[in-house]
Amino acid sequence: MRRLRDHGLALVFGGLLLMALVGQALWGLAGVNGDARDKGLQTIGLGEYLTSSSFAVDIAENWQSEYLQFLLFILLTVWFVQKGSPESKPLDKTGRESDEDQKVGRWAQPDSPRWAVVDGWRRSVYSHSLGLTMLVIFVGSWSAQFIAGHASHNSELIRDLKAPEGWGQYALDPDFWSRTLQNWQSEFLAVATMVVFSIYLRERGSPESKPVGEPHGSTGVEG
């Protein structure tokens, strides 16, 4: 039970992710088959839908926008601050900070990660490992969206007796950029509102909120 408690947040979100994926698969299949019946086309099974470009592009376009949000938030909060927000660093802590502040090299603690202690490329890589990982996942999921979206878009064109588009054409196609930008704008809005709302609003006990009685102007303080 203690191990479940120690990893409860990851387990809960993992369970929610799984339920959402199952729900998306079932309702997505229902929608695709509904459209097929309306057009007098053959319906498909769940397995065929799960391996289709239509399902893949829906998954990838959401994942890439989420990881873009994380990537930008991680990088921008290094240099930019927001007075009063717990999502910001203290106003005098902009930049990469000193080795002492970051507890690396000779300022490392006994239980610090090994790569935080050593000099050279390993410490440099580890110092940016979170941003690099988010970048790789973002690029990978956006590439998957592009590939799956291209296949799905051409399937629709062929079904409508139109000529399919090449890679270059699809890269400039409204379908690709509409799918992309409608997700990006929602992520930017969500982050901006979280940063600003957390200046004045509270959620008792949450590390994403300041303590209930903390002044509005306090910056980088978490509950």
Side-chain angles (χ1 to χ4, degrees), residues 74-79 89 93-104 124 127-129 131:
I74 290 166
L75 297 180
L76 292 177
T77 51
V78 174
W79 302 102
K89 296 197 294 186
K93 289 288 187 179
T94 58
R96 294 295 184 188
E97 303 179 5
S98 67
D99 287 354
E100 183 177 5
D101 290 332
Q102 289 292 308
K103 302 177 182 178
V104 298
S124 181
S127 296
H128 302 285
S129 56

Side-chain angles (χ1 to χ4, degrees), residues 1-215:
M1 291 301 296
R2 182 172 180 177
R3 179 166 294 184
L4 291 176
R5 184 207 64 184
D6 290 349
H7 302 284
L9 192 58
L11 290 171
V12 168
F13 272 101
L16 291 173
L17 170 63
L18 181 60
M19 289 189 291
L21 284 172
V22 171
Q24 179 183 350
L26 296 177
W27 285 106
L29 176 63
V32 167
N33 281 340
D35 289 341
R37 283 190 290 268
D38 290 342
K39 296 177 181 178
L41 301 174
Q42 184 178 1
T43 59
I44 61 175
L46 180 60
E48 187 176 353
Y49 176 67
L50 291 177
T51 57
S52 69
S53 58
S54 176
F55 181 71
V57 70
D58 288 342
I59 293 291
E61 72 181 44
N62 284 285
W63 287 17
Q64 60 87 6
S65 64
E66 295 293 342
Y67 281 101
L68 175 64
Q69 174 199 137
F70 289 137
L71 174 63
L72 291 179
F73 193 64
I74 290 166
L75 297 180
L76 292 177
T77 51
V78 174
W79 302 102
F80 296 96
V81 294
Q82 177 62 54
K83 184 176 180 179
S85 178
E87 302 298 324
S88 166
K89 296 197 294 186
L91 302 179
D92 60 347
K93 289 288 187 179
T94 58
R96 294 295 184 188
E97 303 179 5
S98 67
D99 287 354
E100 183 177 5
D101 290 332
Q102 289 292 308
K103 302 177 182 178
V104 298
R106 64 190 181 93
W107 286 282
Q109 298 176 331
D111 55 351
S112 292
R114 280 188 58 195
W115 282 29
V117 180
V118 297
D119 292 321
W121 67 269
R122 286 180 294 176
R123 187 199 300 175
S124 181
V125 169
Y126 191 67
S127 296
H128 302 285
S129 56
L130 182 58
L132 290 171
T133 299
M134 293 298 177
L135 175 62
V136 169
I137 298 175
F138 163 65
V139 171
S141 55
W142 198 21
S143 299
Q145 178 199 334
F146 181 78
I147 295 169
H150 177 255
S152 178
H153 184 61
N154 278 345
S155 295
E156 293 178 6
L157 291 176
I158 293 170
R159 190 170 58 211
D160 295 335
L161 303 180
K162 297 179 180 178
E165 293 182 350
W167 296 104
Q169 288 177 290
Y170 184 67
L172 300 175
D173 194 280
D175 178 77
F176 173 66
W177 285 107
S178 176
R179 285 179 174 273
T180 296
L181 293 174
Q182 70 179 344
N183 283 281
W184 286 8
Q185 56 87 13
S186 65
E187 302 301 338
F188 299 154
L189 175 63
V191 172
T193 53
M194 181 63 180
V195 169
V196 175
F197 287 173
S198 62
I199 298 173
Y200 304 104
L201 307 178
R202 309 286 188 269
E203 184 58 48
R204 184 167 183 162
S206 174
E208 301 304 315
S209 166
K210 292 186 289 190
V212 177
E214 192 72 28

